[in-house]
Amino acid sequence: MAEIKVPELAESITEGTIAQWVKKVGDRVEKGEFIVELETDKVNAEIISEEAGILTQITAAEGDTVLVGQVIAIVEAGEGAAPAPAPQVTAAPAPAQEEPKAAPAAPAPVQVVEESSERVVASPAARKLAREKGIDLASISPVDPQGRVRVQDVAAHGIAPVATPAAPEAPKATVAVDESRVTVEKMSRRRQTIAKRLLEVRQSTAMLTTFNEIDMTNVMALRSRKKDQFFESTGSRLGFMSFFTKAVVAALKKYPYVNAQISGDEMHLNNFFDIGVAVSTEEGLVVPVVRDADRKNFSEIEDTIAGLAAKARDKKLGLNDLSGGSFTITNGGVFGSLMSTPIMNGTQAGILGMHTIQKRPVAVNGEVEIRPMMYVALSYDHRIIDGKDSVGFLKTVKELIENPEDLLLNS
């Protein structure tokens, strides 16, 4: 027999949510075969079976929260494991036919619970108790306003006088929601984590934002002239992100406190330049990291960003892809945002927000011209970054993007 446990993924991850079982009870599994997908705060992890055999028991259903080290399934090992489920399935109904008065209470509810477990959100302990008592989880009215069935709900379900008055209270939590007009969706674990961490940043930092605008004329002209040659020589597409990444690295070197973080009463000035690049996915925003961006050329930066974005869309990002960034760039301009105030990522002290390029009239050498302009924003932790440094940092980025040849010469 082999126990399938929730593995240790990282020091900061202590629990996860069962996202999907790809195998069901009675299925044969091979050693190393993927049997369940676990959703954590940072990534989705594929849990495998360490032994070949038959999946005989699943103790946590889809949607359940499980802890690291918790047993979530049992695999009976060996060749003899394959026929094992069959006798169990036929043995349970057999007594039901021979002893119709006593036996139906055991097998019948088990089958009902298996069917309803896909739509009822319940803790593993509650599911276990329900199976032992032969109670259909769908028939239980939970106290939790979000509808999660707990052990107390299962235990109270068997007491008729207590269960009856609880019934009218359950709908009260949903009376205000007109299902014909409102669609209720439970937040995914990742969305809950994003919400929690963004709120923590707002509450635990002295965040301030400064703005500037960049004339994109020169960088757009350079990109237009060089993109075909760049693609032929490197096989990479030349975008704006490599220019901004290079400009940010140069500005961080000039203003090191923007590349720092607070730890207790200490300021840690990072001597590395791991730049996080925000990527939008169906499940929310993720920020994979371009490692050692100061050592990469334009082609390597473009390839790294493209690879990370593809992994994000395919849900293949690993913990190493997401951890340890020193500064972040986010581009709301791809969605048409003209101006916004980005929120810092984790313990970092700054984040640069790019926005859409829009043609506007600007004064150039005393004349009004129509130029492609982009608003940029720097949100920063005012506890360690003064206004002078924040403005100087953003001004450096602006000057380098408006004179892109300087970036090419310094690469």
Side-chain angles (χ1 to χ4, degrees), residues 45-173:
E46 296 180 350
I47 300 179
I48 63 172
S49 174
E50 297 292 343
E51 197 160 346
I54 302 299
L55 184 61
T56 59
Q57 187 178 359
I58 291 177
T59 60
E62 293 179 4
D64 279 357
T65 297
V66 292
L67 302 177
V68 170
Q70 180 177 330
V71 177
I72 56 176
I74 299 293
V75 172
E76 295 289 347
E79 293 297 328
Q88 291 176 359
V89 173
T90 55
Q97 295 175 357
E98 294 173 9
E99 302 177 37
K101 294 182 180 180
V110 171
Q111 295 175 356
V112 173
V113 171
E114 288 295 331
E115 294 174 356
S116 61
S117 64
E118 296 182 1
R119 57 182 181 273
V120 177
V121 179
S123 68
R127 291 184 182 278
K128 180 180 179 181
L129 184 59
R131 284 194 296 270
E132 292 173 352
K133 287 179 170 287
I135 298 174
D136 179 6
L137 287 172
S139 67
I140 297 176
S141 298
V143 177
D144 187 347
Q146 293 185 340
R148 183 180 179 84
V149 178
R150 303 182 184 277
V151 174
Q152 299 92 318
D153 300 318
V154 179
H157 183 75
I159 306 173
V162 177
T164 303
E169 293 185 14
K172 288 183 180 179

Side-chain angles (χ1 to χ4, degrees), residues 187-255:
M187 293 175 69
S188 68
R189 171 170 291 276
R190 189 163 300 162
R191 175 58 62 185
Q192 292 179 51
T193 302
I194 291 172
K196 177 182 177 182
R197 291 184 176 174
L198 288 177
L199 188 60
E200 287 175 350
V201 169
R202 293 298 297 265
Q203 294 174 338
S204 63
T205 65
M207 195 180 82
L208 194 63
T209 304
T210 185
F211 300 90
N212 211 321
E213 62 178 355
I214 298 177
D215 185 345
M216 299 291 288
T217 300
N218 292 336
V219 72
M220 290 176 69
L222 177 62
R223 178 176 176 269
S224 180
R225 292 196 310 270
K226 298 293 185 180
K227 63 179 181 180
D228 291 339
Q229 179 184 344
F230 186 83
F231 182 76
E232 290 175 3
S233 61
T234 67
S236 306
R237 299 190 181 280
L238 183 60
F240 292 125
M241 284 304 300
S242 52
F243 285 96
F244 274 90
T245 301
K246 281 293 186 182
V248 160
V249 169
L252 289 175
K253 289 181 177 180
K254 189 174 181 179
Y255 298 96

